[in-house]
Amino acid sequence: MKHLIYIAILLFTTLSFGQNTGLIVGKVLDNEVNDAPLVLANVSVKGTSINLNTDLTGVFVIENLEAGDYTLACSFAGYDTKEIKVHVDALQPAEVKVSLAASTVSFSELALLTAVAQKDDKSTAALN
């Protein structure tokens, strides 16, 4: 009977100390294509070195965060970067859904990109 009490106390203390950190679970979606998941979108936590990518379903998980407020920056090539504030609690995971919109390119920027691409194409053709 003593052994059961010791095991119960050990399990209780282990679970108690394991709850000191929180986590953020989220999904990055494409606003332009009926909220389709954005695969390999970049998610970072401002003020930390945490930087990760979403999986094949657009889902990301950030673990071992101290309780408090954080700012997430979500980005994807060709889309506007979006920052959102998240409150992390050690007792309950924070759930986030971020929908990114495609970035707009002005006609002058498009003309400049086209001119640079044509110039590069001519310079590589001269090398052949």
Side-chain angles (χ1 to χ4, degrees):
M1 185 67 177
K2 270 187 181 180
H3 296 295
L4 286 176
I5 292 172
Y6 287 131
I7 291 173
I9 290 172
L10 180 65
L11 287 175
F12 178 73
T13 56
T14 304
L15 292 175
S16 298
F17 287 113
Q19 298 297 322
N20 289 336
T21 60
L23 73 120
I24 300 172
V25 178
K27 191 167 191 175
V28 181
L29 305 170
D30 186 348
N31 193 28
E32 306 297 321
V33 186
N34 298 326
D35 288 334
L38 284 175
V39 178
L40 298 176
N42 187 0
V43 180
S44 62
V45 180
K46 290 229 169 194
T48 68
S49 62
I50 299 171
N51 191 7
L52 53 98
N53 291 326
T54 59
D55 65 8
L56 295 175
T57 59
V59 173
F60 65 91
V61 177
I62 303 172
E63 299 175 315
N64 298 326
L65 292 172
E66 295 293 323
D69 294 322
Y70 294 93
T71 302
L72 294 180
C74 301
S75 61
F76 192 73
Y79 289 76
D80 291 329
T81 300
K82 195 173 204 179
E83 292 185 2
I84 57 169
K85 295 193 182 283
V86 179
H87 178 75
V88 174
D89 186 13
L91 301 176
Q92 183 174 0
E95 295 182 13
V96 177
K97 275 192 181 178
V98 181
S99 193
L100 299 181
S103 62
T104 57
V105 178
S106 67
F107 285 122
S108 60
E109 290 174 344
L110 185 60
L112 179 64
L113 288 173
T114 304
V116 170
Q118 287 176 348
K119 179 181 175 187
D120 286 343
D121 189 37
K122 288 177 185 174
S123 64
T124 56
L127 294 175
N128 292 333

